[in-house]
Amino acid sequence: MQFNTKTIHGGQENIDPAYGAVMPPIYQTSTYSQTSPGNHKGFEYSRSANPTRTALENSLASIENGKYGLAFASGLAAIDAIIKLLKPGDEVISTNDLYGGSYRLFTSIFEGLGIKFHFVGMESTTAVEAKINKNTKLIWAETPTNPMMNIIDIEALAKIAKTNKVLLAVDNTFATAYLQQPLDLGADIVMHSATKYLGGHSDVVMGSVVVNNEELANKLYFIQNASGGIAGPMDSFLVLRGIKTLHLRMQRHSENGRAVAKFLSEHPKVEKVYWPGLENHPNHEIAKKQMKDFGGMVSFTTKGNSYEDAIKFTEKVKVFTLAESLGGVESLAGHPASMTHASIPKEEREKTGVVDSLIRLSVGIEDEKDLIEDLKQALA
Ligand SMILES: *Cc1c(COP(=O)(O)O)cnc(C)c1O
């Protein structure tokens, strides 16, 4: 099956056996009747498994070219489950330019439980290799990164991970399986905040994990059931529906992203534009190698780097909505320094480029002309 067919049919061969419903019903049930103890139809209790969630988990595995899919209550619940593969004393090498909530989970929860995190810039693989020691168990990469749109070479990281027998996990939220497939590039684990592009309509919070290795899958299923951060049936239904148009949406997000990046690059008030499709992007060649297109996430700074101007811009936009999150059909604008990245100390965030004037856009799938007009008037 090709990708655009997988989004619709992947892993969905068992159409509703009761009535032939084309969409998997929302099995809003916690438990399942048994004819005698242990004699059931594959489902016992909805924390362990639920048919709507299973349908989604199979779809997730299919679009990522993986074997095993897992759906969690949020992206952070998915990351939480992955880090629970580790033990006190284990070490993780993580990109230093990552989602603020992931940073908070690593430093405020898991460091307290004895897991050590090293944050490095991963555009240089030598920086990653320098931190590897006998306790290293996991490399955590996010690409494109949030909000600086840095690109990390997944294939190069996978080689380092294999040589050193450590796991490589990739947060694929920004690219989605439409643009990039980390498992095919050698990653062991691919994780998503399905809240974003997979759901695609800003109406659900969810996380996902996909792997190919059976032993790893079993450990993760165990954690999913034992810790219980599962996705509910209604939310599973919504994300399953979202995935069916993922390819169409990502194509349009990428087209609009290109138009917005071009417009901003030519605007006299704009200092820098961060979009991996621009030829002057420092990692453009790697992006071209591992991504099919470059998506709808665009960040930029303005000349003078004024905090107040950035705030004013976010108040002036009309088609873009000032809001956290990303990946929905509607365009959003955010100010990382005061919103998503407020939990990262100023000194730490500025090292990675999250300066006061930085604006992050999640370019939606509206008409390109309206988006450009809106940016024009807000910048004015
Ligand atoms: C939103 C996001 C997360 C966290 O996901 P939630 O669904 O909000 O818990 C993790 N990584 C990235 C890149 C994100 O954008």
Side-chain angles (χ1 to χ4, degrees), residues 74-76 79 99 102 142 146 171 173-174 191 193 195-196 205-206 326:
S74 68
L76 287 176
I79 302 175
Y99 178 69
S102 309
E142 201 182 301
N146 179 25
D171 181 335
T173 300
F174 273 36
M191 169 266 152
S193 168
T195 311
K196 316 295 167 55
V205 173
M206 192 190 287
L326 61 111

Side-chain angles (χ1 to χ4, degrees), residues 93 120-132 139 157 160:
I93 302 170
V120 303
M122 288 193 173
E123 302 81 66
S124 144
T125 46
T126 46
V128 178
E129 278 177 305
K131 291 287 181 200
I132 292 188
I139 298 174
L157 272 190
I160 296 172

Side-chain angles (χ1 to χ4, degrees), residues 109-122:
I109 306 285
F110 283 109
E111 270 183 1
L113 299 175
I115 294 165
K116 195 169 171 188
F117 292 83
H118 302 275
F119 297 96
V120 303
M122 288 193 173

Side-chain angles (χ1 to χ4, degrees), residues 92-100 102-103 106 117-124 127-128 131 139-142 145-148 150 152 341 344-345 347-354:
V92 179
I93 302 170
S94 163
T95 171
N96 61 358
D97 172 17
L98 83 163
Y99 178 69
S102 309
Y103 179 84
F106 292 167
F117 292 83
H118 302 275
F119 297 96
V120 303
M122 288 193 173
E123 302 81 66
S124 144
V128 178
K131 291 287 181 200
I139 298 174
W140 185 268
E142 201 182 301
T145 64
N146 179 25
M148 296 315 298
N150 286 315
I152 295 166
H341 288 59
I344 302 182
E347 229 172 77
E348 203 54 39
R349 70 169 161 83
E350 287 196 336
K351 264 193 245 165
T352 64
V354 184

Side-chain angles (χ1 to χ4, degrees), residues 147-164:
M148 296 315 298
M149 308 306 295
N150 286 315
I151 301 294
I152 295 166
D153 188 335
I154 299 173
E155 223 169 358
L157 272 190
K159 276 196 194 115
I160 296 172
K162 289 234 155 49
T163 309
N164 294 282

Side-chain angles (χ1 to χ4, degrees), residues 150-306:
N150 286 315
I151 301 294
I152 295 166
D153 188 335
I154 299 173
E155 223 169 358
L157 272 190
K159 276 196 194 115
I160 296 172
K162 289 234 155 49
T163 309
N164 294 282
K165 298 194 167 60
V166 305
L167 293 172
L168 171 62
V170 176
D171 181 335
N172 204 26
T173 300
F174 273 36
T176 79
Y178 174 81
L179 295 176
Q180 133 187 315
Q181 292 171 314
L183 297 179
D184 286 354
L185 296 167
D188 302 286
I189 300 172
V190 57
M191 169 266 152
H192 276 273
S193 168
T195 311
K196 316 295 167 55
Y197 287 107
L198 297 186
H201 295 76
S202 307
D203 52 10
V204 63
V205 173
M206 192 190 287
S208 73
V209 175
V210 177
V211 300
N212 261 322
N213 178 286
E214 188 182 356
E215 193 187 331
L216 186 56
N218 287 337
K219 282 183 190 164
L220 287 164
Y221 283 125
F222 181 85
I223 294 166
Q224 185 190 36
N225 184 44
S227 285
I230 51 149
M234 179 70 200
D235 290 351
S236 296
F237 174 86
L238 286 172
V239 174
L240 193 57
R241 182 167 72 163
I243 289 173
K244 287 179 194 287
T245 55
L246 179 67
H247 51 302
L248 294 172
R249 289 184 287 107
M250 290 312 290
Q251 189 181 349
R252 181 61 63 86
H253 282 297
S254 297
E255 287 167 14
N256 285 354
R258 175 172 283 107
V260 164
K262 181 170 180 291
F263 165 77
L264 291 172
S265 299
E266 291 163 358
H267 196 283
K269 285 189 180 171
V270 172
E271 173 92 47
K272 280 192 186 142
V273 181
Y274 302 92
W275 187 66
L278 292 172
E279 272 173 27
N280 65 4
H281 185 285
N283 321 119
H284 177 64
E285 289 307 314
I286 297 164
K288 243 173 36 184
K289 185 182 76 166
Q290 70 189 17
M291 298 172 78
K292 182 170 167 181
D293 203 336
F294 307 101
M297 296 304 299
V298 182
S299 296
F300 70 97
T301 59
T302 45
K303 288 181 182 153
N305 191 32
S306 153

